[in-house]
Amino acid sequence: MCVAHACASGSQAGGAVPGGEGAGVNECASECSSVGCSRVSVPGPCPPAMEKVKPEEEGTSLGQLCVGGPPEEPPTRPAWSNKVEYILAQVGFSVGLGNVWRFPYLCHQNGGGAFILLYLLILLVVGIPLFFLELAAGQSIRQGSIGVWQHFSPRLVGIGFASCVVCGFVSLYYNVIIAWSLFYLVNSLRATLPWASCPLGANHSQPELECAQSSPTTYFWYRKALDVSESIGASGGVNLALAGCLLGAWALVCGALIRGIKSSGKVLYFSSLFPYVVLFCFLVRGLLLDGAADGVRIMFTPQLAVWGDMQVWRQAATQVFFSLGLGFGSVIAYSSYNARHNDCHGDGLLVAGVNFLTSMLATLVVFAVLGFRATAIAKACVARNMALLTQLLPTLKLPTLKLPTLDPAALPPPQYSAWYHKLPAELGTALQGHGVTDCRLEDEMNKGVEGTGLAFITFTEAMTLFPASPFWSVLFFLMLLNLGLSTMLGNMQGILTPLLDRYPPLRRRAALFTVLCCTIGFLLGLMFVQRSGSYFVSMFDDYSATLPLVAVVACEAGSVAWVYGTDRFLAEVENMLGWQPWGRGWRPWRVYGYMWRYGSLLAMLGLLLASLGQIFHRPPTYQAWDQAQAEETRVPYPAWALAMLILLIVLATMPIPVLYLRQLVWERQARQHQQGAPPSLELEEAESPADPASSANGYLPVRTQEPPGPGAK
């Protein structure tokens, strides 16, 4: 049982921080683990709640700690070698594949420049405050997500476990995308790209019909790379080529993580910086292409009317949410290896700014290249239609038809489209019956600009039009590989760091535990490299993380605001960062407290309700490949897939209520045990985590290895 032990009063170093002076501290007996108590007996003055006492300094043995396992002294916590490695880690995790293929699509579909302004507004009001919360919590408590939320209250430990589950789900399918990039990278090492033209059919004289009806890049993606089945229910067996690429992807991740942040930090120098080199190369090359200006113009033309559509707000908030990596626990894990007085507020502003600018850079690149592709396709369309019109004029009575010119090369697609729309309705219908169509740049740019379709079909097709296309293809897929790898390292740290902190015996075999996690990830990931695997990737991408992460972040904001207390948390942050009041005692950072208490919390709850409403309003569907029609179709999920989808959401959110209830049961057992205890051993009244006199809420204190100084070798 837990024995009440008085703590002598005294002043605290660094200023008075709520939760320190005169606070009661519990001494844990051997029975503590059975009732869920996690306290430390500390003779002398109480430490601030977020400034943990080093046992060797205060004479407290770690045998007095109760953390749900056998007490033992943890090793010194590793630290980043330098500030650059840490910034690269945070930037590498937050800047991922979504910046390249999701953000440009959302901009184009939701009002261009209007969506960018909306995204920036939500980033400033909601995203940055929540990002700073996670950075400050990880740096001050120096634990993974499980330890951080257990510190705030033992009842909240489920938030950390939920983050680990979501990271696990995301890691399973995210590494499959890296495997796809590896597959395309290997196939790019040829003199002629295999998706540049259609293969010959069985008769060796005509192109494959399925390819001719779609496009070479679409055919290669669905039939050669994925060898996709017709539905999610038709497994079709494992694609051995992709399974080999998946093994290589997990080997890369495991090799980068084998020595913790000491090895992953060095990998991030390349994996985080190389994508920017490639993006700038593509930007310079893309802006010199014919039609690039039209693509950029279409992209940034603002349509402010979209601000009245709530779905646009939902999509902007979701993109902010995922682009910063909130709720995964990776931001907390990376920040936990920092020096205590590191300027995490400045780091948060820097990383959020770099993330936004990277999204803008990627958008410029994507739409410059797509503008070039759309212009090439539209010119071919104009030439085909002009040839048809030249043939139709002698045979049909078209007295009202006046061609702008007979030379297709002298007729730009915008001018042809304007002429086509001025035709009388009857004449336009007649021409459509003979195969004469419109050739709008916007229509071509709307095709396949989302997700994997943008990266592996549309952008890949555009690169076949480049001179020296294999070189650009190698650069592009090497960029995707590094973007995915840096984000994947963050996902895995969101799993490994909390579990290693939570269960001390694992730290003695940290390398073996890392290999074990990667091996399990590879075996479970084989589900995604069967012929129907891409459909499961879509399912996990759409549903395994969105709702659970919104719930996790809403719980984070609510826990700090209404359980631990924003005033208390900000006072501890002030002490940690050495912030001093401005003139007349003004503390501008107090605005974060209002955002956590009201703005961010309400935004997360609104996003959660909007996401649920979207699911019920439009039953979940996935995009399947119809081999007979050689086209993509939207297909509803079968009943068993819907059950699996619901199970994913439940499993990811289940730790929050389950562990909360478990802690309540433990506390009830402790109170029942108190009734028969002698007066000297009676339990003290349960503390509220929001009580300024509350002591630390049961997390294992660690000694942190500070980074080497300038003169260190």
Side-chain angles (χ1 to χ4, degrees):
M1 64 179 295
C2 296
V3 185
H5 187 77
C7 180
S9 61
S11 60
Q12 301 173 32
V17 179
E21 186 173 353
V25 185
N26 290 337
E27 179 180 0
C28 290
S30 59
E31 297 90 354
C32 285
S33 60
S34 65
V35 296
C37 175
S38 302
R39 308 288 187 183
V40 187
S41 173
V42 183
C46 290
M50 301 178 86
E51 187 173 351
K52 301 304 171 188
V53 178
K54 295 182 180 180
E56 70 273 17
E57 293 178 1
E58 299 292 338
T60 304
S61 71
L62 290 174
Q64 296 170 284
L65 293 172
C66 296
V67 291
E72 57 182 275
E73 184 175 356
T76 301
R77 189 173 188 81
W80 296 104
S81 299
N82 52 67
K83 184 67 171 285
V84 174
E85 284 188 8
Y86 166 67
I87 295 297
L88 289 178
Q90 292 285 17
V91 169
F93 171 67
S94 64
V95 175
L97 297 173
N99 297 76
V100 174
W101 65 36
R102 181 68 177 166
F103 185 85
Y105 165 76
L106 291 175
C107 286
H108 183 53
Q109 294 297 109
N110 296 301
F115 179 84
I116 294 174
L117 293 176
L118 183 59
Y119 175 90
L120 187 58
L121 173 65
I122 297 176
L123 176 66
L124 294 174
V125 174
V126 178
I128 291 178
L130 291 173
F131 191 56
F132 173 54
L133 185 152
E134 292 197 357
L135 289 173
Q139 179 173 306
S140 58
I141 301 171
R142 293 178 175 179
Q143 290 278 287
S145 55
I146 296 175
V148 162
W149 299 111
Q150 183 177 349
H151 164 77
F152 286 138
S153 171
R155 298 177 183 179
L156 304 177
V157 71
I159 299 176
F161 279 101
S163 295
C164 291
V165 174
V166 173
C167 277
F169 286 160
V170 172
S171 297
L172 288 178
Y173 78 83
Y174 208 90
N175 224 21
V176 176
I177 301 176
I178 298 179
W180 293 344
S181 301
L182 274 175
F183 180 84
Y184 268 79
L185 178 61
V186 172
N187 280 276
S188 298
L189 301 174
R190 302 184 183 184
T192 302
L193 295 175
W195 51 82
S197 59
C198 288
L200 296 178
N203 58 8
H204 299 287
S205 60
Q206 297 294 328
E208 187 72 37
L209 180 60
E210 185 180 353
C211 180
Q213 291 177 340
S214 54
S215 71
T217 52
T218 304
Y219 177 82
F220 185 88
W221 169 242
Y222 283 112
R223 307 307 305 160
K224 297 298 182 181
L226 301 179
D227 191 19
V228 72
S229 60
E230 65 273 11
S231 70
I232 194 172
S235 170
V238 173
N239 185 325
L240 294 180
L242 288 183
C245 292
L246 181 62
L247 179 61
W250 276 109
L252 287 174
V253 172
C254 187
L257 292 171
I258 196 68
R259 294 181 56 235
I261 63 170
K262 295 299 182 183
S263 56
S264 63
K266 302 300 183 289
V267 172
L268 289 166
Y269 277 105
F270 181 78
S271 64
S272 295
L273 295 176
F274 179 75
Y276 289 96
V277 176
V278 176
L279 282 175
F280 277 110
C281 290
F282 269 100
L283 179 63
V284 174
R285 185 68 186 91
L287 292 178
L288 297 176
L289 296 171
D290 183 25
D294 291 325
V296 175
R297 173 184 55 80
I298 293 171
M299 173 66 248
F300 288 102
T301 300
Q303 301 172 18
L304 298 179
V306 301
W307 281 28
D309 187 352
M310 291 306 300
Q311 288 304 317
V312 176
W313 285 79
R314 182 186 68 83
Q315 291 180 337
T318 303
Q319 182 61 24
V320 169
F321 183 78
F322 281 102
S323 64
L324 293 177
L326 300 174
F328 285 92
S330 305
V331 173
I332 294 176
Y334 278 151
S335 184
S336 70
Y337 297 112
N338 268 333
R340 175 170 173 76
H341 299 290
N342 173 67
D343 183 12
C344 58
H345 182 255
D347 296 343
L349 296 178
L350 174 63
V351 173
V354 170
N355 187 295
F356 174 72
L357 293 177
T358 303
S359 297
M360 297 302 300
L361 174 63
T363 300
L364 277 173
V365 170
V366 166
F367 278 88
V369 174
L370 291 186
F372 163 68
R373 169 185 171 272
T375 299
I377 295 176
K379 284 184 175 180
C381 174
V382 170
R384 182 180 66 253
N385 287 338
M386 293 301 294
L388 284 173
L389 288 171
T390 304
Q391 296 174 4
L392 291 173
L393 282 176
T395 59
L396 297 178
K397 295 181 179 180
L398 301 173
T400 59
L401 180 63
K402 296 181 180 179
L403 297 179
T405 179
L406 294 178
D407 182 11
L411 186 61
Q415 184 178 345
Y416 169 84
S417 182
W419 168 81
Y420 186 88
H421 281 278
K422 290 180 181 179
L423 293 175
E426 299 81 3
L427 185 56
T429 302
L431 290 177
Q432 289 178 5
H434 292 281
V436 179
T437 61
D438 191 9
C439 300
R440 295 180 69 244
L441 290 174
E442 291 82 355
D443 293 340
E444 294 300 331
M445 293 192 65
N446 285 336
K447 296 178 181 178
V449 296
E450 180 183 13
T452 55
L454 171 62
F456 296 102
I457 298 177
T458 309
F459 207 91
T460 303
E461 180 182 347
M463 287 187 296
T464 61
L465 305 175
F466 284 15
S469 56
F471 168 76
W472 293 102
S473 183
V474 168
L475 279 184
F476 178 71
F477 289 109
L478 195 57
M479 178 190 72
L480 291 187
L481 175 64
N482 282 276
L483 281 173
L485 180 61
S486 58
T487 302
M488 188 65 191
L489 295 181
N491 286 331
M492 292 300 295
Q493 285 290 356
I495 301 172
L496 297 173
T497 298
L499 294 180
L500 292 175
D501 289 340
R502 174 73 174 183
Y503 304 104
L506 292 178
R507 285 198 292 267
R508 294 198 300 267
R509 297 288 185 269
L512 181 61
F513 181 64
T514 300
V515 173
L516 178 62
C517 288
C518 292
T519 302
I520 294 174
F522 167 71
L523 294 176
L524 294 177
L526 291 176
M527 174 182 69
F528 301 100
V529 292
Q530 54 186 341
R531 291 186 60 196
S532 60
S534 61
Y535 304 141
F536 287 99
V537 170
S538 298
M539 175 193 290
F540 273 65
D541 188 32
D542 292 337
Y543 300 104
S544 71
T546 305
L547 287 175
L549 280 180
V550 174
V552 166
V553 177
C555 289
E556 290 181 356
S559 299
V560 171
W562 299 104
V563 178
Y564 195 75
T566 53
D567 291 340
R568 178 184 180 189
F569 182 72
L570 280 174
E572 293 163 349
V573 171
E574 288 180 22
N575 179 61
M576 177 180 70
L577 300 183
W579 283 350
Q580 298 296 327
W582 293 10
R584 299 183 180 179
W586 186 45
R587 291 176 168 85
W589 49 86
R590 291 289 177 177
V591 70
Y592 286 121
Y594 293 103
M595 293 310 305
W596 296 332
R597 189 179 296 140
Y598 305 110
S600 300
L601 182 58
L602 292 176
M604 289 298 101
L605 294 177
L607 180 57
L608 182 62
L609 294 176
S611 300
L612 287 172
Q614 179 72 7
I615 292 177
F616 288 112
H617 178 67
R618 295 181 181 177
T621 60
Y622 67 99
Q623 190 167 272
W625 177 250
D626 187 337
Q627 185 175 356
Q629 300 296 324
E631 63 181 10
E632 299 166 334
T633 57
R634 300 299 302 185
V635 181
Y637 283 106
W640 66 267
L642 287 175
M644 181 179 178
L645 184 154
I646 295 172
L647 182 62
L648 290 174
I649 297 174
V650 171
L651 287 177
T653 54
M654 184 70 73
I656 300 176
V658 168
L659 295 180
Y660 181 88
L661 293 175
R662 187 188 71 167
Q663 181 64 26
L664 290 181
V665 171
W666 279 357
E667 292 173 3
R668 181 178 180 183
Q669 291 175 347
R671 286 193 296 269
Q672 291 175 348
H673 191 73
Q674 174 189 6
Q675 296 175 357
S680 59
L681 297 179
E682 288 184 355
L683 282 170
E684 64 179 355
E685 184 179 353
E687 299 178 17
S688 167
D691 184 1
S694 172
S695 60
N697 287 313
Y699 93 101
L700 188 64
V702 293
R703 290 174 291 129
T704 305
Q705 173 188 344
E706 300 293 345
K713 295 182 180 180

